[in-house]
Amino acid sequence: MKKFNIRKVLDGLTAASSSSSAAAASLQSGNRENDLIQETLQSEHFQLCKTVRHGFPYQPSSMAFDPVQKILAIGTQSGALRLFGRAGVECFCQHESGSAVIQLEFLVNEGALVSALADDSIHLWNLRQKLPAILHSLKFNRERITFCHLPFQSKWLYVGTERGNIHIVNVESFTLSGYVIMWNKAIELSSKTHPGPVVHISDNPMDEGKLLIGFECGIVVLWDLKSKKADYRYSYDEAIHSVAWHHEGKQFVCSHSDGTLTTWNIRAPAKPAQIITPHGKQPKDGKKPEPCKPILKVEYKTTRAGDPFMILCGGLSYDTVGRRPCLTVMHGKSTAVLEMDYPIVDFLTLCETPYPNDFQEPYAVVVLLEKDLVLIDLAQIGYPIFENPYPLSIHESPVTCCEYFADCPAEVIPALYSEGSRQKRQGFSKKEWPISGGNWGQGTLSFSEMIITGHADGSIKFWDASALMLQVLYKLKTAKVFEKPRSKEEKSSTEIVDEDPFAIQILSWCPESRVLCVAGVSAHVIVYRFSKQEVTTEVVQLLEVRMQCELNEVESPECGGEQASAVSTPGTSSSPQTSLPQSHPSSSSNNSSDGLRDNVPCLKVRSSPLKQSPGYQVELLIQLVWVSGEPPQQITSLTVNSAYGLVAFGSGNGLAVVDYLQKTLLVNVSNAELYGSTDPHHRQPHSPRKTRQPSAGLCDGNDASATPEERCKSPTSGSGSPCNSDEDSKQTFIDKGFYSALVRFKAKISRKINMIADHKDDARDNSFSRSRSSSVASIDRESREVISSFYFCDWLSKKSETVAVPSLWVGTSLGSMLAIALTVPSTPEQRMQQPVGVSFCGPVVRLKGGILRMAQLDASGILLPHVYESWYEPNAPEEEREQPRRHRLTSPPSQENPDCQYAVVCSEKQAKVVALPSQNCVYEHNITETSFVLRADVVTMTTGVAIACFCANGHIMTLSLPSLRPLLDVNYLPLTDMRIARTFCFSNQGQALYLTSPTEIQRITYSQETYDNLQEMLGELFTPVETPEAPNRGFFKGLFGGGAQSLDREDLFGEVAAGKASRSLAQHIPGPGGMEGMKGAASGVVGELARARIALDERGQKLGELEERTAAMMASADSFSKHAHDIMLKCKDKKWYQL
């Protein structure tokens, strides 16, 4: 069998990582012949790329809709484009400049989109390919773009500027026309002031040769394109925000900054035909109404069989302080004011026809809010909203943690969907979602995927993430088990966070048994069981745990150095394997005699009966209590195992193991007690505590200089974030085991940390970086050891053992992996009656950096799945729910190879593979020297098992197992974003995700197989659709005139008539070429052929109908001729008086 030589690092790795990997991946001494395992994973099995982005577009700025293709486009302040079709058809694009998108214009039914950015550039996007690309760009050099208008079925784009001029762009060639409308020619010559920027451009619906131009100062000009002069000028003394036409082209409406709407007849420019203030109070003496807030936008839509709709946003009275943003719908004599949850960014009215010169027949309004997208049904009484099919509610409450499960059991998703469907809101419109363009992708994945998100309000959402889609399945509210204070004054003094005390910090979920365990920021743990039956819990099962640590300061030796002498600790035996130490008793809430809080939990448990609907129901609530005036430390690690019925959690003070079946505390020990006499750390005596205020668990346990306001901050609070000083900025970067790397390597990475801190997002989002972290004393001091990870498994702890025994592996922030042996009763009856035995086995292996992940391989290198118990109905009778527990079988050791298991341990700096039960390190690899690992997972691929790592320097790496060969190393992110560092998670089958913004999830793949099938899996935005027929002009309009007047814009704006524009005005930038452009061109040709085929089919059908009608007319003419001939023969010989 071929022997692996790690020095031959695969190509594609960076030089730095190659050299360090080659130097560090040397095999340990031992019997190498028996350790070699055939591996199938190679570097060609990995390829990193983004797949799809879910969620609401972060900080939206503009919106557009294609009424024929039924596609919605949303632009953001960061230059992103999100395109939405039917449910499951989404697309994400990004402008390279990152400037805000100020306006979007569809080339209706052409598969193209024009975007205007705040950096005065316009871009043409090709939507006829699955991954849209820019075909042309035009960068204005001397003028700022303020407004754009693209008439329906026109190739000429009008661009208004801040100087008041209008330029015209050919969207086919993206070149400027020599035809320019200058502001000084548009306004009155006698005017002495500049009219301001152009805020509106539109052509007359009935005459394309007339252009309506609105200036900010309140002047509106009707410009004749042919004669190149102004026909009429309309002036009002209030600034204009928007203009809307009546479809007949005889009237238009302007919205103004004082909350008024003015209606103008185009032939009567002297004064408005009507002035109304929709939300203004009308004085009785006939005076002018009181001014209101500006009406930011107005739309005027007509119907054939009723009154027109006038829809506007803004315009509320100034005395409506604290009122939520509103959209006003005026229809006839009725006025409906629709309140929104967030400020309105933009709105569009969806109409039956794309032609502006026909009755519009509006049927819905799309309202883009700062954090939501709402569609209102105009056809039903009460204007109900449509049920949104997109996964835009990820940020309903800020996401605080995230977990990704690929290849989960197939029956889990239907079970969650069945219970979650009962949670849906009622009262939605009965009509189908009107944004229905595009087609789903043809390809799919063979495995199901789920995402679980924890939120700041204590809620947990389960999402079906299969086939690159995202759909919410079920929502769980954990805050129901606690009493909620009615006001801030009623808050308990024992709470350790001021805001969001129920925020979810860590999730642990067993898909097979459906047992869910969550840890919150208020030092509480809740265990949930899944049930299909409704129950009412009279009293929530509560277990209070008192954790305290007498030894605080730790000095850790370097790995491989001289072991430190052990310090004797209370309750610890001298033997490394001891019986269960005396745990601290739990007692009821009380205060000690000196007034300090003692034995008091942070949150008050609900006292009234709790009605629990089918779905996840509370099994046990665990709360850490105050100890002698000291608040409990926040929980840093958590795991649950359904086969053993145990929950383990750790903090900076130690670890605890709880039996959630018997509702008892099994283990409650400090970190020093874990080591026994083999403690490698120098632990200094605990110094006397100074007076302290409640701490949120991130501040220094001995630091009294921090104010109560700095300590008592929620993980999601924005104001008063403690990340103000340089040290606090470093603390904000600590998350999920960053602790030890920052302490030992702060000299190397302080510059990077400061750079990242400078690029952090809003304070509310970044302040949650404190959650899931160790309790940090100070960046310049050594801090206490914290529990960073857990792993339940069956293992062989001794060479003499032939049967694997249950155990708990414990990883710490100082690089130690320790083991705790468990004795679990075998039968269900014994399990509920006899206690679980515990014995401490001491350290197994030590690594550099905090332990992030542990796993177990069998003798052939195959990942051993975690032991679990299959799901059963917990509320069913005992005789029906008893199921045999599924334990994993491990082959006994042989004489040739006494090691039949491998422990995989990954830390912030390195990875090791340890043979069991001999505990010899057989493989070792230094992952990084200059950075540290933020997230590591042992993942199953189609052809093998690997370790996937995400580093603080932005690199994503994979290592083979068990030989730890580097297979992938890609510099994915140039700077590590705090949010990404907190939410990044890998899953099986080469899938991963992270929260790229407070409202969006970005999914990526590192699998070559998924990368190859990605094009087939992505949906198509553009589909060939026939453009509706133009409205009929009618006989009399065609005879006497009065219909829509067309204009040959080529004769006016072409190079022959208008000449060339100045080269210094704008610079043309070709779009990206290469294969992507070829794919776009090919898909465009295919689309054109499909459209031509549809047009030919329709033409053939119409010709067939015409032929049938012609044949019928010919038959009728023959019949008439025959009857006429018969009458002629009958009457030809008769006199006139005989007839």
Side-chain angles (χ1 to χ4, degrees):
M1 188 175 295
K2 186 177 179 181
K3 195 172 183 178
F4 292 114
N5 188 351
I6 202 63
R7 289 175 295 181
K8 297 180 180 179
V9 181
L10 300 175
D11 54 349
L13 302 179
T14 59
S17 62
S18 298
S19 59
S20 62
S21 299
S26 59
L27 297 178
Q28 303 297 312
S29 60
N31 188 359
R32 306 260 49 86
E33 289 77 8
N34 294 328
D35 290 334
L36 296 177
I37 297 173
Q38 182 67 39
E39 295 180 356
T40 55
L41 276 180
Q42 302 297 329
S43 59
E44 55 265 22
H45 293 134
F46 295 91
Q47 178 68 48
L48 187 68
C49 74
K50 296 180 180 179
T51 54
V52 67
R53 181 171 294 197
H54 302 297
F56 183 78
Y58 184 55
Q59 295 181 335
S61 56
S62 57
M63 178 174 58
F65 181 71
D66 188 325
V68 179
Q69 287 289 320
K70 306 290 185 183
I71 296 174
L72 182 73
I74 297 178
T76 71
Q77 295 182 19
S78 59
L81 276 181
R82 293 287 299 279
L83 297 144
F84 297 91
R86 65 179 62 191
V89 178
E90 300 179 29
C91 186
F92 169 79
C93 312
Q94 177 69 48
H95 293 90
E96 290 186 2
S97 66
S99 297
V101 181
I102 59 175
Q103 197 169 348
L104 296 170
E105 291 282 336
F106 271 103
L107 277 70
V108 177
N109 204 27
E110 295 293 332
L113 176 71
V114 174
S115 59
L117 305 188
D119 64 352
D120 309 310
S121 63
I122 55 177
H123 308 268
L124 179 65
W125 290 86
N126 178 18
L127 307 183
R128 295 183 179 230
Q129 56 195 66
K130 291 190 174 183
L131 295 175
I134 294 177
L135 297 178
H136 300 282
S137 298
L138 197 64
K139 181 73 167 63
F140 282 76
N141 299 322
R142 297 185 302 186
E143 298 203 50
R144 304 295 306 272
I145 299 174
T146 56
F147 194 87
C148 296
H149 171 63
L150 181 64
F152 178 54
Q153 294 183 327
S154 171
K155 68 176 183 178
W156 297 96
L157 174 72
Y158 300 103
V159 181
T161 67
E162 194 175 41
R163 294 184 181 180
N165 303 324
I166 295 178
H167 302 275
I168 302 170
V169 178
N170 186 327
V171 294
E172 290 182 349
S173 60
F174 244 55
T175 55
L176 276 173
S177 169
Y179 192 111
V180 182
I181 303 175
M182 305 299 292
W183 67 270
N184 54 357
K185 294 184 179 179
I187 65 172
E188 294 278 1
L189 296 178
S190 59
S191 177
K192 297 181 181 179
T193 58
H194 191 277
V198 175
V199 296
H200 178 82
I201 307 172
S202 61
D203 47 353
N204 189 315
M206 286 295 180
D207 190 353
E208 296 176 351
K210 308 293 184 181
L211 197 67
L212 196 69
I213 307 169
F215 295 95
E216 188 181 58
C217 68
I219 297 176
V220 180
V221 177
L222 188 64
W223 181 266
D224 190 318
L225 293 171
K226 292 182 179 179
S227 62
K228 300 183 181 180
K229 66 178 182 179
D231 285 351
Y232 300 101
R233 297 180 178 90
Y234 315 87
S235 181
Y236 193 70
D237 56 0
E238 292 291 341
I240 290 176
H241 285 276
S242 68
V243 182
W245 278 102
H246 188 281
H247 83 276
E248 293 180 347
K250 297 178 181 180
Q251 284 186 336
F252 62 89
V253 178
C254 300
S255 68
H256 298 276
S257 58
D258 62 345
T260 59
L261 295 174
T262 57
T263 303
W264 300 81
N265 294 323
I266 61 171
R267 298 185 182 276
K271 64 177 182 177
Q274 186 183 28
I275 302 177
I276 61 172
T277 308
H279 297 286
K281 297 179 180 179
Q282 300 292 336
K284 296 181 180 179
D285 53 4
K287 293 183 179 179
K288 189 176 181 181
E290 295 180 1
C292 296
K293 297 177 182 178
I295 297 178
L296 302 178
K297 185 175 182 179
V298 63
E299 290 200 351
Y300 193 15
K301 303 299 179 182
T302 56
T303 60
R304 294 183 186 275
D307 296 318
F309 283 86
M310 195 171 291
I311 305 169
L312 54 103
C313 68
L316 295 178
S317 175
Y318 279 104
D319 59 5
T320 56
V321 179
R323 188 171 182 179
R324 293 190 295 178
C326 297
L327 185 79
T328 305
V329 180
M330 303 170 64
H331 184 215
K333 296 181 179 180
S334 68
T335 300
V337 181
L338 309 177
E339 290 190 346
M340 303 293 162
D341 293 332
Y342 306 101
I344 298 174
V345 177
D346 196 4
F347 74 89
L348 294 171
T349 307
L350 307 188
C351 302
E352 296 289 351
T353 177
Y355 293 92
N357 58 357
D358 194 10
F359 286 98
Q360 299 300 288
E361 302 294 343
Y363 60 89
V365 180
V366 186
V367 188
L368 179 62
L369 308 178
E370 282 189 0
K371 295 184 179 181
D372 202 0
L373 181 69
V374 178
L375 259 76
I376 301 169
D377 188 352
L378 295 178
Q380 293 189 31
I381 299 175
Y383 303 129
I385 65 173
F386 290 87
E387 185 176 7
N388 199 322
Y390 307 134
L392 302 183
S393 61
I394 294 173
H395 65 288
E396 186 177 11
S397 175
V399 177
T400 53
C401 63
C402 184
E403 292 295 337
Y404 190 12
F405 299 88
D407 204 11
C408 56
E411 66 274 6
V412 173
I413 292 178
L416 288 169
Y417 180 80
S418 175
E419 304 304 334
S421 59
R422 306 177 187 179
Q423 301 176 334
K424 290 187 176 180
R425 292 172 50 192
Q426 304 296 325
F428 291 108
S429 172
K430 297 180 180 179
K431 295 184 178 179
E432 293 184 359
W433 183 255
I435 304 172
S436 56
N439 287 322
W440 293 309
Q442 300 300 319
T444 184
L445 295 173
S446 59
F447 51 87
S448 56
E449 301 167 86
M450 279 190 59
I451 299 172
I452 305 179
T453 54
H455 300 265
D457 63 353
S459 62
I460 298 172
K461 291 182 180 179
F462 293 78
W463 305 82
D464 179 8
S466 305
L468 296 186
M469 296 186 184
L470 194 67
Q471 179 185 10
V472 66
L473 294 172
Y474 178 81
K475 182 178 179 181
L476 173 64
K477 297 180 180 179
T478 65
K480 286 184 177 181
V481 301
F482 301 105
E483 295 283 357
K484 292 185 179 180
R486 298 180 180 178
S487 61
K488 292 184 178 180
E489 290 75 15
E490 295 184 12
K491 279 191 173 183
S492 173
S493 60
T494 60
E495 292 189 11
I496 59 176
V497 290
D498 280 345
E499 298 179 11
D500 302 322
F502 313 114
I504 304 300
Q505 198 167 6
I506 313 176
L507 290 166
S508 179
W509 185 55
C510 176
E512 292 81 8
S513 64
R514 307 179 195 173
V515 174
L516 174 68
C517 192
V518 298
V521 296
S522 296
H524 63 272
V525 176
I526 311 177
V527 182
Y528 287 92
R529 301 283 290 270
F530 186 84
S531 174
K532 296 183 178 180
Q533 301 178 12
E534 181 179 303
V535 296
T536 299
T537 304
E538 296 296 332
V539 178
V540 176
Q541 292 286 338
L542 174 63
L543 183 64
E544 293 181 352
V545 178
R546 181 185 176 95
M547 270 192 176
Q548 61 184 12
C549 182
E550 297 300 330
L551 297 178
N552 197 8
E553 306 289 337
V554 176
E555 295 180 5
S556 173
E558 292 297 326
C559 292
E562 184 179 352
Q563 295 283 318
S565 60
V567 180
S568 62
T569 58
T572 304
S573 171
S574 59
S575 171
Q577 296 190 14
T578 67
S579 60
L580 174 64
Q582 180 66 35
S583 61
H584 300 287
S586 173
S587 60
S588 59
S589 302
N590 58 70
N591 289 344
S592 60
S593 59
D594 57 357
L596 296 177
R597 302 180 185 91
D598 191 45
N599 288 340
V600 183
C602 301
L603 299 176
K604 186 177 180 181
V605 182
R606 180 187 181 120
S607 57
S608 58
L610 176 62
K611 181 180 179 181
Q612 302 195 79
S613 302
Y616 274 101
Q617 300 171 354
V618 178
E619 177 80 6
L620 177 65
L621 169 62
I622 307 166
Q623 285 188 295
L624 301 185
V625 297
W626 288 65
V627 179
S628 302
E630 294 296 329
Q633 295 291 320
Q634 287 189 346
I635 295 169
T636 58
S637 55
L638 174 73
T639 188
V640 64
N641 186 274
S642 59
Y644 307 151
L646 301 179
V647 172
F649 57 91
S651 69
N653 286 342
L655 71 88
V657 179
V658 172
D659 184 341
Y660 68 80
L661 296 179
Q662 297 186 17
K663 314 295 189 295
T664 57
L665 177 64
L666 297 179
V667 178
N668 182 11
V669 296
S670 66
N671 297 327
E673 292 175 306
L674 281 173
Y675 293 93
S677 60
T678 61
D679 191 349
H681 308 299
H682 294 287
R683 300 181 187 268
Q684 300 176 3
H686 175 57
S687 59
R689 292 187 182 272
K690 301 178 183 179
T691 303
R692 268 190 57 186
Q693 298 294 329
S695 170
L698 185 70
C699 305
D700 178 18
N702 300 320
D703 187 7
S705 62
T707 64
E709 289 76 10
E710 290 174 336
R711 292 192 183 98
C712 302
K713 288 298 176 184
S714 159
T716 55
S717 62
S719 60
S721 174
C723 308
N724 297 324
S725 66
D726 184 60
E727 289 185 6
D728 291 335
S729 297
K730 297 174 184 177
Q731 289 184 12
T732 61
F733 193 75
I734 299 174
D735 200 304
K736 285 185 61 183
F738 300 176
Y739 155 85
S740 62
L742 284 176
V743 171
R744 286 198 295 267
F745 305 101
K746 64 179 186 293
K748 297 180 181 180
I749 64 171
S750 59
R751 184 176 302 176
K752 294 183 180 180
I753 295 173
N754 292 332
M755 291 175 62
I756 296 167
D758 293 337
H759 287 81
K760 62 187 178 182
D761 297 307
D762 54 298
R764 177 176 177 84
D765 180 72
N766 269 333
S767 58
F768 190 76
S769 61
R770 292 169 288 180
S771 69
R772 300 192 68 177
S773 65
S774 57
S775 178
V776 179
S778 173
I779 220 65
D780 293 328
R781 295 186 221 146
E782 295 291 344
S783 299
R784 68 183 59 160
E785 183 179 26
V786 303
I787 306 301
S788 58
S789 60
F790 290 111
Y791 185 70
F792 279 108
C793 65
D794 290 346
W795 80 315
L796 297 170
S797 59
K798 301 178 182 178
K799 295 182 180 180
S800 59
E801 293 179 347
T802 58
V803 179
V805 296
S807 65
L808 172 63
W809 292 352
V810 182
T812 73
S813 60
L814 296 185
S816 296
M817 173 193 161
L818 307 102
I820 301 175
L822 306 171
T823 304
V824 182
S826 57
T827 65
E829 293 80 8
Q830 294 175 344
R831 178 64 184 85
M832 296 304 297
Q833 297 173 1
Q834 300 177 7
V836 176
V838 178
S839 62
F840 294 81
C841 304
V844 177
V845 66
R846 293 202 66 224
L847 285 77
K848 298 178 182 177
I851 304 296
L852 300 179
R853 192 67 57 193
M854 295 172 285
Q856 196 178 24
L857 307 179
D858 65 8
S860 59
I862 299 175
L863 179 66
L864 290 173
H866 66 277
V867 288
Y868 62 88
E869 179 184 64
S870 299
W871 177 82
Y872 62 88
E873 175 56 60
N875 295 322
E878 291 288 341
E879 61 273 7
E880 296 181 10
R881 72 181 186 184
E882 288 183 6
Q883 299 288 338
R885 283 166 172 75
R886 185 180 302 181
H887 288 282
R888 187 175 61 235
L889 298 177
T890 303
S891 57
S894 60
Q895 294 182 354
E896 294 79 11
N897 182 15
D899 294 324
C900 61
Q901 290 181 339
Y902 295 96
V904 180
V905 189
C906 184
S907 73
E908 296 167 325
K909 285 291 184 177
Q910 61 181 181
K912 287 186 179 182
V913 176
V914 180
L916 298 177
S918 65
Q919 299 186 10
N920 293 327
C921 181
V922 292
Y923 295 102
E924 179 180 343
H925 176 75
N926 289 338
I927 300 174
T928 177
E929 294 291 343
T930 59
S931 183
F932 53 93
V933 179
L934 303 177
R935 174 81 183 215
D937 287 287
V938 178
V939 295
T940 301
M941 305 291 289
T942 306
T943 56
V945 186
I947 298 179
C949 303
F950 174 59
C951 295
N953 58 9
H955 282 249
I956 292 180
M957 308 175 184
T958 60
L959 306 173
S960 70
L961 284 176
S963 65
L964 301 178
R965 291 178 299 116
L967 300 176
L968 175 73
D969 186 354
V970 177
N971 188 6
Y972 179 65
L973 296 171
L975 281 176
T976 303
D977 187 278
M978 186 59 244
R979 187 187 308 103
I980 297 175
R982 191 182 70 245
T983 59
F984 199 104
C985 49
F986 295 98
S987 189
N988 294 329
Q989 305 300 330
Q991 309 301 314
L993 63 81
Y994 58 90
L995 213 66
T996 185
S997 74
T999 62
E1000 295 170 291
I1001 287 177
Q1002 177 66 57
R1003 293 168 64 178
I1004 63 175
T1005 182
Y1006 51 96
S1007 165
Q1008 182 69 49
E1009 182 181 1
T1010 305
Y1011 176 82
D1012 294 337
N1013 298 329
L1014 186 60
Q1015 283 291 329
E1016 295 182 7
M1017 297 169 60
L1018 294 175
E1020 291 181 309
L1021 287 169
F1022 179 80
T1023 55
V1025 179
E1026 185 70 17
T1027 303
E1029 293 185 0
N1032 191 359
R1033 295 177 61 185
F1035 175 75
F1036 290 103
K1037 286 186 177 181
L1039 184 63
F1040 301 106
Q1045 302 294 320
S1046 61
L1047 173 70
D1048 189 351
R1049 294 185 176 90
E1050 186 68 35
D1051 291 343
L1052 286 176
F1053 307 145
E1055 186 176 335
V1056 177
K1060 293 184 178 181
S1062 172
R1063 291 185 178 180
S1064 61
L1065 182 61
Q1067 177 186 1
H1068 176 261
I1069 304 172
M1075 185 59 66
E1076 204 62 45
M1078 294 174 61
K1079 291 180 181 178
S1083 62
V1085 171
V1086 172
E1088 289 291 347
L1089 290 175
R1091 294 177 62 188
R1093 184 173 64 253
I1094 291 176
L1096 287 174
D1097 292 342
E1098 292 181 352
R1099 184 179 180 187
Q1101 183 179 358
K1102 291 178 180 179
L1103 288 175
E1105 294 174 356
L1106 179 61
E1107 185 177 356
E1108 292 176 359
R1109 288 198 298 267
T1110 303
M1113 291 176 64
M1114 290 179 62
S1116 177
D1118 290 342
S1119 177
F1120 179 78
S1121 174
K1122 182 179 180 182
H1123 285 295
H1125 184 69
D1126 291 343
I1127 293 174
M1128 184 270 293
L1129 292 176
K1130 184 177 180 181
C1131 301
K1132 71 174 182 177
D1133 295 333
K1134 293 184 179 181
K1135 303 296 182 182
W1136 62 271
Y1137 54 84
Q1138 293 176 328
L1139 298 176

